[in-house]
Amino acid sequence: MEFPLDIITGLLTEQGIEVVKEPKHPKERFAWVSAFCDEDALRSEETTVYVVDRDTSSPPEMFRLFVLKPSEDLAFLPEPGPGPDDIVIRTACSCPLIADRIQRYLTRIIQWNDQMGAMIEAGCINQDLLRASEPILKCYVGLTDATFSYIAHTPGIPPIDDQSAYLIEHRCYSPEAISQAQERGLMHLWEHQDWTAVHAEPNDMVPYPTLDRVIKQHGSYAAHLLLVSPTKPTGALVFLFDLLAHKVEQCLAHHWRLENPLEQRYTYFLKDVLLGNIADEGQLIERAEAHGLPLKGLFEVCLADNTWRAGSPDYFAKMVLEIEPDCKVAINGPRVAVLLCSPDLKPGRIAAVEESLFDLAHRLHLEMGVSDKFEHLSLAALSLEKARIALKYGRRKSQRYVAFDSPEARNSYIFRFRRYFAYFVTDPYERSERFTAKLLASPNPLARLREADRERGTDDAEILRVFLHSEGRINLVCEQLHMHRNTVNYRLDKIRAVIDGDLDDPDMRMYLRMLLLITD
């Protein structure tokens, strides 16, 4: 193992020994130290010469550490004088004692590095690595993932800054810290940072010098290792921090799927499903089974694209998974699509998940587009488009609604597709032909009703048409179709069961009228 020269000057300074001259190239590496001069190499027998030997070149490259007594100055050094990378110190300690101190310190670093390697082989977690680093680093170190959530920290060394203390107490950074990171463009910087950044001066986020290292998984920013130091970081501290960062990166590679709930096995498959990149039914069935997603049941898609208000798309996605682990989440840039799914056809489960998800959106001031419910995973891509349409037109038109008695009056940030579909269809600037064709070819409420009519030999679609054009007035339906009131009510109950919708809901009635309009 090789060390930079400044690890010597850092140790000596820490021990109160005066460094008269530092090496010109502090990053030059060495392998071992000795208090005894190599006579053949240096051709000197001065006991004040401390040899730093590097074995990576042949012959070995030598650096010297000159030890002056407290009353001596540079004039007491033997000829030739110190070279560019030689070190000069002033102390009453003898050369063998200085050599022993340095060698013991280097041995501790080697043992620590080997210990961390053995811990990783044994399947340790990041908390174990940070605990083992405390005697060497002697500074607070915290590890968070890309959602600004806590993974690990040094348990025996408390944080000295408020942001790190907040992280440990709440297991995520404060919204103010996330906003500051966004405003300063730090998240964009971290996507491209492949080195340890040294911040020698305090900043508005952390009022102490810091070191930080970005750890990536699959080529993207996945975790952030931060060291907060009460004093200006030395080159030796950076070297030690890099050793820890390398081991943390190895540990995360082993455990990332367990550490980060966004790294689920279904992630890439779900993106393909939502984008419609599934070749055929057979492939869909095979991949759904392999990735643990139900093929049939009751589904719904919710879409949010202003997730910057929550801090980041990853942070919002993680919060969704924390409150509703059964949800499936896909991220595409700032957009987060949430697939709500229930293996059975009972709407109660979806409704309960909706309530939790909408409450989270309300707390984070996020707007959401919501699709209709559907019963087969192959319809997810169409439903994502429904959610997108609802989000787009909901932002434009939501102020038209003043629903004092609606249970969603407080949810003005939730836009359902059936309410805003009419605006989409009648928008003269919207190219709606392709989507409308897909919608009509899918099992929409009107298509299901007509299929039921064919199977049962009924004409409920005509009853529904008259009911909608009569604005829900039963007496007009009875007069026009020459049917008894009880018969009309009975058929309307059957229609409600087939379309799975409330005919008393004005949004549902408008949605059905628009479907009738584009199919007649």
Side-chain angles (χ1 to χ4, degrees), residues 264 266 320-328 349:
Q264 304 290 340
Y266 66 78
V320 169
L321 294 177
E322 286 179 349
I323 64 170
E324 288 294 341
D326 292 336
C327 286
K328 311 299 181 185
R349 171 57 184 158

Side-chain angles (χ1 to χ4, degrees), residues 22-98:
E22 296 188 358
K24 183 177 181 180
H25 304 98
K27 301 306 178 187
E28 282 285 351
R29 297 300 183 100
F30 69 95
W32 54 274
V33 298
S34 171
F36 303 98
C37 176
D38 186 331
E39 188 170 308
D40 293 333
L42 296 178
R43 305 197 180 282
S44 172
E45 295 182 357
E46 294 289 341
T47 57
T48 55
V49 177
Y50 177 81
V51 178
V52 182
D53 191 352
R54 192 170 77 163
D55 295 328
T56 55
S57 59
S58 182
E61 186 175 354
M62 301 291 184
F63 306 101
R64 295 174 294 178
L65 177 69
F66 294 91
V67 180
L68 296 174
K69 301 299 182 185
S71 58
E72 296 177 342
D73 56 26
L74 294 176
F76 285 86
L77 295 179
E79 294 294 337
D85 289 321
D86 291 339
I87 303 171
V88 181
I89 64 173
R90 184 180 287 115
T91 178
C93 300
S94 65
C95 286
L97 179 59
I98 294 294

Side-chain angles (χ1 to χ4, degrees), residues 409-420:
R410 64 182 181 87
N411 295 341
S412 58
Y413 47 88
I414 302 300
F415 310 127
R416 291 190 180 273
F417 172 71
R418 66 172 181 262
R419 169 172 286 186
Y420 298 99

Side-chain angles (χ1 to χ4, degrees), residues 304-316:
D305 64 0
N306 55 353
T307 51
W308 56 268
R309 293 180 179 175
S312 73
D314 290 350
Y315 183 62
F316 171 66

Side-chain angles (χ1 to χ4, degrees), residues 281-299:
E281 180 75 9
Q283 185 187 48
L284 177 64
I285 295 173
E286 179 182 351
R287 294 184 64 187
E289 182 179 355
H291 291 85
L293 280 177
L295 190 66
K296 297 180 180 180
L298 200 59
F299 303 88

Side-chain angles (χ1 to χ4, degrees), residues 421 425 436-437 439-440 512-520:
F421 175 61
V425 173
T436 303
L439 176 63
L440 296 181
L512 294 171
R513 289 184 67 174
M514 296 308 299
L515 286 178
L516 282 168
L517 177 65
I518 61 180
T519 55
D520 289 346

Side-chain angles (χ1 to χ4, degrees), residues 371-437:
S371 75
D372 286 337
K373 296 179 179 63
F374 56 101
E375 298 179 3
H376 198 279
L377 190 60
S378 60
L379 298 173
L382 179 64
S383 297
L384 177 63
E385 186 65 13
K386 290 181 179 180
R388 186 195 67 79
I389 290 171
L391 188 59
K392 177 180 179 180
Y393 287 90
R395 285 174 174 156
R396 296 180 184 178
K397 310 294 185 180
S398 62
Q399 297 304 316
R400 291 175 177 265
Y401 289 89
V402 184
F404 294 106
D405 58 343
S406 169
E408 291 188 7
R410 64 182 181 87
N411 295 341
S412 58
Y413 47 88
I414 302 300
F415 310 127
R416 291 190 180 273
F417 172 71
R418 66 172 181 262
R419 169 172 286 186
Y420 298 99
F421 175 61
Y423 295 108
F424 167 73
V425 173
T426 57
D427 187 348
Y429 304 102
E430 184 73 64
R431 299 179 62 88
S432 60
E433 297 84 0
R434 294 181 61 182
F435 173 80
T436 303

